[in-house]
Every structure is written in structure tokens, then in C-alpha cells.
Amino acid sequence: WLESKGVDLTSSSVGYDAFDSTDVNYPFDSLDGRSTICARAANRATSLGVICVTAAGNSGGVARTIITPGDADSAFTIGAFRDDSLNVANFTSKGPNARGILKPDFATLGKDVIAANLASRTTIGSGNGTSFATPALAGGIALLLSQFPSLRPFEVRSLLRSVASNRLTPDSAIGYGLPDLMSAAEQHEIGR
């Protein structure tokens, strides 16, 4: 439905592995990038040309804490840095997914992020979480797509990987790291 309406990019900051209203939870082996309803939806949307950017989750500290749809093969799963020095935030969920696929894919600032204060119409505050990191990168990708609307999701992923801070040593805490969106745009322009 969303692709038929012209959507090129989504940003989601909700994920699951346990549910409040049911006894059915997702065991980690079901977070294989293909099995959960959320992962299947993200993969289907991507196959139709929609870039799905999603939060890794905030259950970090140890490996294999990624949530769904962050486990999805095609999702751009976003972890969090705690500061400008690109140090990993201790809360960011880590991969890989249950099939050993590297997750998260990228990371951006997710600690002490300045944002609107929900308790007041006139003040700002700060927040922590991969839900703060995710829309920041989604916005950057939207700008990239505004300049190069014909880019497909897997082309964008490849391009961002090639200009990311951790591209030489991607890991299950921050993936390929922080993409340099200006370099991505320049690189794509030169390669055309």
C-alpha cells in the first residue's frame, strides 16, 4: 500500500521481541531477518523500492540483542553513538541477527540528542536511544534521494557503506558506522 502511494523511505523507531499482551514472544532464533511479520514487511517494502530505516533497539551491552524489524535482511538498522567521537552508546542493541547477518548496518548520535520537549510547547530537551539516531539518518537518506531519486535501496546501502566511518572493520555494535552523506552524494555524482 505505501509503495503504491509513492513512499520512497520509511523511518520506524519501534521494534519487538517481547509482547505485553500475549504469552507469545519472539525467541532469538526467530530474529533471522525473514521470519517475523515485521521483518517480512520490511523486506517486501524494500523489494518494491522503499528504503526501510529502523532502530536497532536499546537492549545493548551484549551481542544478539537486536530487535525486529531491525533483524530484517533489507532494513537499514541503526545503532547509536554516545558522542561526537563515535563511541558506541552502551544501550544500543547489537547483532548479528539469528542467521549471523551483520546488524546494525549503521550508527548515528543517539545520546543526549536535542529534541522538542514533549511536556512543553515552548522548550527543548534531550533524549537517548536508537529512536533518536534512526530519524537523523533517515533524514539524511531522504536528502540523498531528493538529489538522486533513481537510487534503489541496495544502491543506497552500498553507497553508504563505502563512505562510512567503520567501513574497513564493520562490527555488530555499529555496523559500518556513521555514513558521510556528502561524500556519498559526491561519489554517486562522479560515478554517473
Side-chain angles (χ1 to χ4, degrees):
W1 175 85
L2 60 90
E3 190 279 333
S4 71
K5 301 296 184 198
V7 172
D8 296 317
L9 175 108
T10 66
S11 177
S12 64
S13 290
V14 63
Y16 303 94
D17 65 359
F19 298 90
D20 294 341
S21 61
T22 178
D23 293 332
V24 179
N25 294 322
Y26 288 135
F28 185 78
D29 62 350
S30 69
L31 302 182
D32 61 6
R34 299 177 179 168
S35 295
T36 68
I37 292 168
C38 296
R40 291 194 320 255
N43 292 335
R44 175 71 174 136
T46 302
S47 74
L48 295 171
V50 178
I51 296 172
C52 297
V53 184
T54 191
N58 301 319
S59 301
V62 297
R64 300 167 59 107
T65 51
I66 205 83
I67 55 176
T68 195
D71 68 309
D73 296 347
S74 60
F76 287 47
T77 306
I78 312 304
F81 291 119
R82 65 182 172 159
D83 54 36
D84 291 345
S85 298
L86 306 184
N87 293 307
V88 179
N90 64 348
F91 56 78
T92 194
S93 289
K94 295 173 178 60
N97 75 10
R99 283 189 304 120
I101 304 297
L102 181 73
K103 290 291 176 176
D105 297 281
F106 304 104
T108 62
L109 184 64
K111 182 157 177 41
D112 297 325
V113 177
I114 303 301
N117 184 344
L118 294 177
S120 166
R121 294 181 181 201
T122 59
T123 63
I124 59 171
S126 66
N128 302 320
T130 57
S131 291
F132 286 89
T134 300
L137 187 53
I141 293 170
L143 291 172
L144 188 65
L145 289 176
S146 73
Q147 185 65 32
F148 306 108
S150 65
L151 281 173
R152 305 285 297 156
F154 291 101
E155 293 172 317
V156 172
R157 179 189 308 276
S158 178
L159 186 59
L160 295 183
R161 283 179 176 174
S162 73
V163 296
S165 61
N166 204 35
R167 67 185 168 275
L168 300 178
T169 56
D171 61 41
S172 61
I174 59 167
Y176 285 77
L178 178 66
D180 181 334
L181 292 163
M182 182 60 81
S183 291
E186 291 169 350
Q187 183 172 312
H188 183 69
E189 184 66 36
I190 290 167
R192 291 183 354 159

